[in-house]
Amino acid sequence: MALAVFSRTQQHALAATEASSRYQSILRLAQERVARFSSSLSDERDIDACLLAILLMGRYEGVIYRPGNPDLKHSFSSLPIWSHHKGAMAILRFWYDHLNRTPATSLIRDTRRGLIRSSLLINLRIPDWMLDGIRFGERDLEQDYDRIFVRTVNLQYASASLQQKKRLDITQIEGLSHEADELDKALQSWVTKFPNKWSYQRHVLRDFDPRRKTHFYSSVVYSYSRPGYAAVWNQYYALGILINGIHLRMLGLIPLEQVADSNHERRRACINRLQTMADSLASSIPFCLESFKILDTPKSLPCESSITFNTDKEIKPYLAVLAVWPLTVASIIDGIDFQQQQWFKSQLAHIGKATGEGVLESVKTDGWAMSR
């Protein structure tokens, strides 16, 4: 993995060759191990070892992916990075069926989270055995968020399936629309539980040039006392974008002759909510990428803090990763302003180039779209 990242960021051909050779060897070993894991894996250490290997192989596929792959034009789900989804799912299912009497490890919890995200992107339904996050180590606020997220992924699957039907059932459309509305209300309730110390400060950039949006989409930016707090808020914005994007698409399926005034109001409310979430995410991304720095004086109020631009500084991968998933969601959901979505894609591609993640860098050239 390290060789692959090094080869990509430093343009080192020999490192790429060595990384490929080692990957093929590890891939063969992993395939042999997974093929017999049901009889040989006896404890969670073996489970974790296999899950970690699959995780790293998936990351490797993401690193070596080259933008401009013509195969991606046919299906977003054809990305090589998804090839390890089934293997990870099988191992997690084995743990669930045979070894879940002991608490889930952090790797088991994080693997489930990753599988839920990839299920969204390639349009798969979350199986019943994966629905309860408590079984996989989710607790407190994370558990509440997980419950909303899992329902949203299955809502996306249901809405995509409905769109494939030749005759649309207005009752089903209304049912899914109601589900989206309930999920958005649950999400808004969830954010009220945040501790005060997680709050953000709103700043206005005095020298912002609307013609130059490389690092800032607008003159408004948010700052947080810790990167982790920004990550939580970005998860909130991303899920809000996802829910309202699905909701807006469902409302658009209602035949014009059956659209009542109340539906127009629902549509406007949905568009406004989607835009608010997108704007907030755009205001948070510069903080995650350290594109500015707050300079406080001893007596200054938060709104009076001066800001210095920091756009020439190299991206720190451990901070950039906090923005990857929210940016991914914002890059593929319909209903976001075109120019704003292009900005989200540019930020994701920028992260991909800086961290060596070819699959992220491809977001602008390969026309990502969520499978439906």
Side-chain angles (χ1 to χ4, degrees):
M1 182 63 198
L3 281 169
V5 172
F6 178 81
S7 69
R8 186 63 185 260
T9 57
Q10 305 301 316
Q11 301 298 309
H12 199 292
L14 291 178
T17 301
E18 180 64 19
S20 177
S21 176
R22 294 190 182 187
Y23 173 74
Q24 295 302 324
S25 298
I26 294 173
L27 180 60
R28 287 192 294 271
L29 290 173
Q31 289 173 336
E32 294 173 1
R33 186 64 182 269
V34 171
R36 63 175 189 273
F37 79 92
S38 59
S39 60
S40 63
L41 295 184
S42 57
D43 59 42
E44 290 187 351
R45 289 176 298 178
D46 292 326
I47 293 285
D48 276 2
C50 283
L51 290 177
L52 182 59
I54 291 175
L55 170 65
L56 292 175
M57 287 190 292
R59 287 289 308 280
Y60 173 84
E61 293 284 3
V63 168
I64 66 169
Y65 182 79
R66 298 291 177 180
N69 185 346
D71 292 336
L72 188 58
K73 305 297 182 182
H74 301 293
S75 174
F76 181 71
S77 59
S78 67
L79 274 169
I81 196 173
W82 310 129
S83 61
H84 300 292
H85 179 96
K86 290 184 178 179
M89 184 75 78
I91 293 176
L92 202 65
R93 179 60 189 266
F94 179 82
W95 173 85
Y96 177 86
D97 289 339
H98 302 286
L99 299 173
N100 70 345
R101 294 180 180 177
T102 57
T105 63
S106 59
L107 190 55
I108 287 173
R109 181 199 63 200
D110 292 343
T111 296
R112 175 179 172 273
R113 291 178 180 178
L115 289 172
I116 292 171
R117 290 177 175 181
S118 60
S119 294
L120 171 71
L121 297 176
I122 57 180
N123 195 33
L124 296 176
R125 182 182 179 277
I126 306 300
D128 291 345
W129 60 271
M130 277 183 62
L131 295 179
D132 186 3
I134 297 178
R135 302 284 293 275
F136 296 88
E138 301 291 359
R139 297 291 184 272
D140 304 322
L141 279 174
E142 292 177 336
Q143 175 194 342
D144 295 336
Y145 181 90
D146 178 81
R147 187 181 297 111
I148 301 169
F149 187 31
V150 168
R151 289 175 59 192
T152 302
V153 174
N154 280 346
L155 175 66
Q156 157 59 25
Y157 176 82
S159 65
S161 299
L162 182 61
Q163 283 185 278
Q164 299 301 318
K165 294 183 178 181
K166 294 182 179 179
R167 294 185 177 182
L168 297 178
D169 187 330
I170 188 65
T171 303
Q172 288 182 294
I173 295 174
E174 288 289 356
L176 295 180
S177 175
H178 177 73
E179 173 77 359
D181 190 51
E182 290 298 312
L183 287 171
D184 195 46
K185 290 178 180 177
L187 183 64
Q188 293 181 57
S189 175
W190 178 73
V191 79
T192 63
K193 302 176 184 178
F194 286 6
N196 289 334
K197 64 181 180 180
W198 291 9
S199 300
Y200 59 83
Q201 296 293 339
R202 185 179 183 274
H203 310 271
V204 178
L205 303 176
R206 296 179 180 178
D207 300 325
F208 174 73
D209 184 348
R211 296 170 299 178
R212 301 178 62 185
K213 294 186 176 183
T214 303
H215 301 283
F216 304 92
Y217 180 74
S218 74
S219 61
V220 177
V221 294
Y222 297 164
S223 68
Y224 303 81
S225 58
R226 292 186 180 182
Y229 302 157
V232 178
W233 278 98
N234 286 345
Q235 295 293 324
Y236 165 69
Y237 301 139
L239 190 49
I241 289 171
L242 178 59
I243 292 171
N244 285 278
I246 297 172
H247 194 182
L248 190 60
R249 193 170 74 246
M250 287 297 95
L251 293 175
L253 293 177
I254 300 176
L256 292 176
E257 61 272 14
Q258 300 184 43
V259 175
D261 291 340
S262 59
N263 284 331
H264 287 300
E265 294 177 4
R266 290 161 63 193
R267 183 176 175 81
R268 283 195 296 270
C270 191
I271 291 174
N272 290 337
R273 173 79 170 147
L274 177 60
Q275 191 61 57
T276 297
M277 293 290 97
D279 287 345
S280 293
L281 178 60
S283 295
S284 291
I285 294 302
F287 174 84
C288 297
L289 301 185
E290 293 190 319
S291 297
F292 67 93
K293 185 177 181 181
I294 305 296
L295 299 178
D296 289 324
T297 60
K299 297 182 179 180
S300 65
L301 297 173
C303 59
E304 299 174 341
S305 301
S306 60
I307 292 178
T308 179
F309 294 110
N310 205 25
T311 54
D312 294 331
K313 189 174 182 180
E314 291 186 0
I315 290 178
K316 294 178 181 177
Y318 75 92
L319 291 176
V321 72
L322 301 178
V324 168
W325 175 249
L327 284 173
T328 299
V329 172
S331 295
I332 62 176
I333 292 298
D334 295 334
I336 294 178
D337 175 78
F338 176 78
Q339 292 298 329
Q340 189 173 45
Q341 190 162 65
Q342 290 300 110
W343 185 83
F344 286 135
K345 289 182 178 181
S346 71
Q347 299 306 296
L348 192 57
H350 181 51
I351 292 174
K353 185 176 182 179
T355 60
E357 291 276 357
V359 70
L360 300 182
E361 194 176 352
S362 73
V363 65
K364 293 189 70 177
T365 58
D366 289 339
W368 281 19
M370 189 159 53
S371 300
R372 294 177 190 158

